[in-house]
């Protein structure tokens, strides 16, 4: 948790570490967190949009239509077969009593603060290689992996900017930590 007036930024996880975390959470009996992390990582959704999901939105669907809470924009997302399997398995394991996907024991939708506390526990328990973990981590991991799989191209950044509903590509670069990375690499080019 950040101290008052302290600015912290969530980092991203490598895709392999993210996939390992998803498998470990399933193995260790955390199907809701497995699903939450998978949805954030495979779809690049904000936590506010994830927490508003109902089972009827995602179960046995290959498309998800959401109205983003932050921007008010409607988006259509594709749910691939790997994510659909995680959704189906989580539903079968959880056997939900509520239509909302991410509820606590009392049936209320989980809070972002609670989720962030659990993520910090997972960071320690699973020895995750990350400085700052939060609900933003999975959206950023999605963006970084998409950019990597598309050859670190400018076209990929343009698509991510659209997917993230950012006002510009420079906002997307800053969000993903790319601009800082590029600036630091400038110091590495000059050698004797």
């Amino acid at each position: 948790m950040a101290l008052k007036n302290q600015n912290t930024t969530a980092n991203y996880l490598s895709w392999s570490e993210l996939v390992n975390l998803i498998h470990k959470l399933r193995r260790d009996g955390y199907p809701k967190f497995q699903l939450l992390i998978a949805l954030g990582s495979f779809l690049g959704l904000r936590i506010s949009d994830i927490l508003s999901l109902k089972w009827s939105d995602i179960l046995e669907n290959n498309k998800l239509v959401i109205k983003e809470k932050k921007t008010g924009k409607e988006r259509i997302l594709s749910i691939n077969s790997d994510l659909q399997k995680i959704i189906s398995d989580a539903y079968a394991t959880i056997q939900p009593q509520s239509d909302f996907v991410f509820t606590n024991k009392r049936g209320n939708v989980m809070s972002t603060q609670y989720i962030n506390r659990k993520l910090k526990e997972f960071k320690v328990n699973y020895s995750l290689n990350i400085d700052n973990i939060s609900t933003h981590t999975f959206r950023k991991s999605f963006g970084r992996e998409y950019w990597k799989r598309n050859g670190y191209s400018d076209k990929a950044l343009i698509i991510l900017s659209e997917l993230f509903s950012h006002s510009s590509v420079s906002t997307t670069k800053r969000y993903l930590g790319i601009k800082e990375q590029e600036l630091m690499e400038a110091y590495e080019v000059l050698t004797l």
Side-chain angles (χ1 to χ4, degrees):
M1 182 167 278
L3 299 173
K4 191 173 183 176
N5 298 321
Q6 180 185 19
N7 188 13
T8 60
T9 302
N11 301 113
Y12 64 93
L13 283 169
S14 71
W15 194 254
S16 61
E17 193 166 24
L18 196 59
V19 169
N20 284 335
L21 176 61
I22 289 169
H23 289 304
K24 288 175 183 177
L25 290 171
R26 171 82 171 127
R27 175 197 71 196
D28 295 344
Y30 296 103
K32 282 187 183 178
F33 280 94
Q34 176 204 26
L35 180 56
L36 184 138
I37 290 168
L39 287 166
S41 303
F42 280 72
L43 302 176
L45 291 173
R46 289 180 182 92
I47 191 64
S48 58
D49 297 323
I50 292 172
L51 293 177
S52 69
L53 292 174
K54 296 182 177 181
W55 286 107
S56 56
D57 295 330
I58 60 173
L59 200 59
E60 298 180 17
N61 291 323
N62 61 358
K63 287 187 182 167
L64 170 63
V65 179
I66 63 163
K67 185 172 183 178
E68 292 181 328
K69 286 192 178 277
K70 184 174 181 178
T71 66
K73 294 179 182 178
E74 185 173 280
R75 287 184 54 202
I76 301 172
L77 301 100
S78 179
I79 299 176
N80 72 28
S81 60
D82 288 342
L83 181 55
Q84 189 58 53
K85 179 160 179 24
I86 293 170
I87 293 167
S88 299
D89 289 349
Y91 183 81
T93 303
I94 295 166
Q95 300 178 352
Q97 304 301 310
S98 168
D99 195 30
F100 282 98
V101 178
F102 299 103
T103 56
N104 60 23
K105 293 175 185 172
R106 293 185 301 271
N108 300 319
V109 174
M110 292 178 185
S111 72
T112 302
Q113 293 79 10
Y114 169 73
I115 294 167
N116 280 328
R117 279 194 308 273
K118 288 299 285 182
L119 293 175
K120 285 170 184 34
E121 286 177 28
F122 296 147
K123 173 190 168 187
V124 172
N125 294 346
Y126 295 111
S127 302
L128 299 177
N129 185 24
I130 188 169
D131 291 330
N132 299 310
I133 190 168
S134 79
T135 56
H136 287 294
T137 294
F138 311 107
R139 183 172 161 89
K140 288 183 177 190
S141 299
F142 163 82
R144 293 294 295 223
E145 186 64 16
Y146 181 83
W147 184 53
K148 176 183 171 187
R149 289 188 186 202
N150 285 277
Y152 303 102
S153 71
D154 288 340
K155 180 182 176 187
L157 289 173
I158 293 167
I159 290 170
L160 285 169
S161 182
E162 183 71 23
L163 288 174
F164 287 160
S165 296
H166 286 163
S167 58
S168 68
V169 171
S170 63
T171 301
T172 302
K173 288 174 83 171
R174 193 170 48 254
Y175 180 77
L176 296 176
I178 295 167
K179 196 167 204 142
E180 182 180 315
Q181 176 185 333
E182 290 172 339
L183 291 172
M184 294 307 289
E185 287 172 357
Y187 295 108
E188 300 296 325
V189 249
L190 302 176
T191 59
L192 292 177

